[in-house]
């Protein structure tokens, strides 16, 4: 039974190691049509799909993001690299933040850096944030392994036939609590940004 939990953990680690990213150097400098945008993101983030038939981004999503003012309208049906960067951030944030919260996070980028090739362009911001996040991979890997080991120490008095699922359940609880707390902290920061903007 314990062999099966190790197999599940190996699958989790494999999924983590296989997750794809859109690197700053992958972002094209030329404007793209909507079909090209969806194809680009589907190709670059293929390994992020849970199921093979999942759609990471669709024309409907992009139209809704434009309608909700998450991204500016395209110029003659073409989307700039700044549009694409905003769509990438939206893709990552939409799983745990509301549209209004995503807008609050991204609006300053759009206001100050959209179509701005000055001292700090949108692509510069993307590179800086990407490097910061990518550097966290080893830390996250160590953290996952530590949490898995902690979950394996739980439910020691439970019969062995039940222990396997309960170890996995404990691991899910650890990860879920982490997501819950961090989501609350992000929402608090967004609310603080909003209250400061209202005061200005």
């Amino acid at each position: 039974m314990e062999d099966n939990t190790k197999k599940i953990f190996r699958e989790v680690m494999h999924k983590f190691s296989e997750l794809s990213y859109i690197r700053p150097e992958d972002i094209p400098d030329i404007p793209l049509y909507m079909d090209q945008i969806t194809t680009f993101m589907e190709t670059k983030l293929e390994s992020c799909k849970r199921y093979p038939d999942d759609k990471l981004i669709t024309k409907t999503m992009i139209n809704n993001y434009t309608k909700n003012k998450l991204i500016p309208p395209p110029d003659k049906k073409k989307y700039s690299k700044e549009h694409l960067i905003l769509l990438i951030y939206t893709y990552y944030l939409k799983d745990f933040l509301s549209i209004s919260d995503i807008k609050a996070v991204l609006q300053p980028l759009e206001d100050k850096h959209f179509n701005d090739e000055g001292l700090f362009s949108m692509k510069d911001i993307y590179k800086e944030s990407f490097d910061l996040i990518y550097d966290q991979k080893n830390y996250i890997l160590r953290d996952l392994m530590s949490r898995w080991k902690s979950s394996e120490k739980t439910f020691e008095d439970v019969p062995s036939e039940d222990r396997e699922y309960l170890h996995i359940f404990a691991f899910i609880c650890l990860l879920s609590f982490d997501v819950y707390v961090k989501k609350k902290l992000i929402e608090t920061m967004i609310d603080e940004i909003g209250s400061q903007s209202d005061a200005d």
Side-chain angles (χ1 to χ4, degrees), residues 118-136:
L119 185 61
F120 223 61
S121 70
M122 188 87 86
K123 198 164 181 179
D124 293 326
I125 292 168
Y126 183 75
K127 183 181 184 318
E128 193 94 7
S129 59
F130 176 87
D131 290 346
L132 175 66
I133 293 163
Y134 197 75
D135 284 346
Q136 293 292 303

Side-chain angles (χ1 to χ4, degrees), residues 62-125:
I62 295 173
N63 286 330
N64 283 338
Y65 297 154
T66 306
K67 185 173 71 176
N68 285 288
K69 298 184 178 178
L70 278 179
I71 63 169
D75 182 19
K76 298 175 184 173
K77 298 188 178 180
K78 285 190 172 183
Y79 295 82
S80 66
K81 62 179 177 289
E82 289 85 5
H83 282 106
L84 180 54
I85 289 167
L86 290 174
L87 285 170
I88 295 167
Y89 282 128
T90 300
Y91 164 75
Y92 285 116
L93 295 171
K94 69 182 175 62
D95 280 346
F96 56 92
L97 289 181
S98 66
I99 291 289
S100 60
D101 280 346
I102 296 172
K103 186 176 177 182
V105 170
L106 297 181
Q107 193 67 55
L109 292 184
E110 185 182 331
D111 290 346
K112 296 178 182 179
H113 302 282
F114 199 88
N115 290 332
D116 181 8
E117 296 296 337
L119 185 61
F120 223 61
S121 70
M122 188 87 86
K123 198 164 181 179
D124 293 326
I125 292 168

Side-chain angles (χ1 to χ4, degrees), residues 157-171:
D157 298 329
V158 172
S160 59
E161 63 269 19
D162 296 327
R163 205 175 299 143
E164 177 185 341
Y165 168 72
L166 289 171
H167 285 169
I168 295 168
F169 177 73
F171 185 60

Side-chain angles (χ1 to χ4, degrees), residues 24-51:
E25 59 268 24
D26 293 335
I27 295 173
D29 284 322
I30 58 169
L32 302 175
Y33 288 107
M34 190 183 287
D35 282 340
Q36 293 172 305
I37 291 275
T38 55
T39 301
F40 174 83
M41 290 190 66
E42 287 284 333
T43 303
K44 291 294 182 184
L45 297 172
E46 178 75 25
S47 70
C48 296
K49 291 183 178 182
R50 184 175 181 185
Y51 304 110

